[in-house]
Amino acid sequence: MRVAAGVALMVGLMLAPEPAAAQQKAPPYWVSIAAGEARMRSGPGRNFPTLWLYHRRAMPLKVVETYTENHTNWRKVQDVDGTTGWMLSVLLSDTRTAIVVGGTRPLRATPTPAAKVVWRAEAGVIGQIRDCASGWCAFDAGKGRKGYVETAHLWGVGPDEVVR
């Protein structure tokens, strides 16, 4: 029985998603919030006061600094509003997301300004990004709402960054 439980635990650990797989990168780099609730603290430790409590899973953040102490990994992050603070790395994911900024933006059928508008996304809409190049990203806001958005209208991707 103990052997079966041990094997099941090992298999579960191997198959579990690693939320902070990208945490070994050198800053700056992009992450998203993996947890349903994530505390941003004023310093890299649980003894520091909470600045913000985020309730938006998948919200993009920019990692600007890393800190490790006693096998606990902390990341200094910046949000879309420019607020910076520290989060535990286990609350973060390497899943690339972005947030629409600056008003309602068109999601186009192809990555060109003349392409058909298939959806419109208001400022604050978060979506998963992929295939970013030449100033455009494939943006998936969920429930079938997909299209291409200019990177200038997204926070969570650099202007010349290529994402595959």
Side-chain angles (χ1 to χ4, degrees), residues 24-48:
Q24 305 309 316
K25 294 180 182 180
Y29 60 92
W30 299 95
V31 295
S32 57
I33 296 177
E37 282 190 353
R39 293 180 189 277
M40 178 187 279
R41 296 184 178 273
S42 63
R46 288 189 174 105
N47 56 324
F48 288 91

Side-chain angles (χ1 to χ4, degrees), residues 20 55 125 128:
H55 294 279
V125 169
Q128 193 165 345

Side-chain angles (χ1 to χ4, degrees), residues 13-132:
L13 289 173
M14 290 186 326
L15 296 177
E18 193 171 330
Q23 306 305 325
Q24 305 309 316
K25 294 180 182 180
Y29 60 92
W30 299 95
V31 295
S32 57
I33 296 177
E37 282 190 353
R39 293 180 189 277
M40 178 187 279
R41 296 184 178 273
S42 63
R46 288 189 174 105
N47 56 324
F48 288 91
T50 299
L51 299 173
W52 288 99
L53 178 60
Y54 293 89
H55 294 279
R56 280 187 90 176
R57 186 183 311 263
M59 181 177 197
L61 298 170
K62 185 181 215 179
V63 174
V64 296
E65 193 176 333
T66 63
Y67 179 77
T68 301
E69 183 177 3
N70 298 327
H71 306 288
T72 304
N73 296 311
W74 290 87
R75 301 297 176 254
K76 187 173 189 180
V77 295
Q78 178 183 28
D79 70 14
V80 66
D81 296 323
T83 303
T84 59
W86 294 86
M87 282 190 183
L88 277 168
S89 65
V90 296
L91 300 174
L92 305 173
S93 169
D94 62 349
T95 300
R96 291 299 301 270
T97 63
I99 188 167
V100 175
V101 294
T104 302
R105 302 299 179 186
L107 276 67
R108 299 193 179 273
T110 61
T112 59
K116 177 184 174 190
V117 174
V118 291
W119 297 98
R120 295 192 187 278
E122 293 181 0
V125 169
I126 294 173
Q128 193 165 345
I129 58 170
R130 61 179 172 70
D131 298 329
C132 299

Side-chain angles (χ1 to χ4, degrees), residues 107-109 118-119 130 138-148:
L107 276 67
R108 299 193 179 273
V118 291
W119 297 98
R130 61 179 172 70
F139 186 84
D140 183 351
K143 298 181 181 177
R145 294 180 290 253
K146 300 177 184 180
Y148 287 88

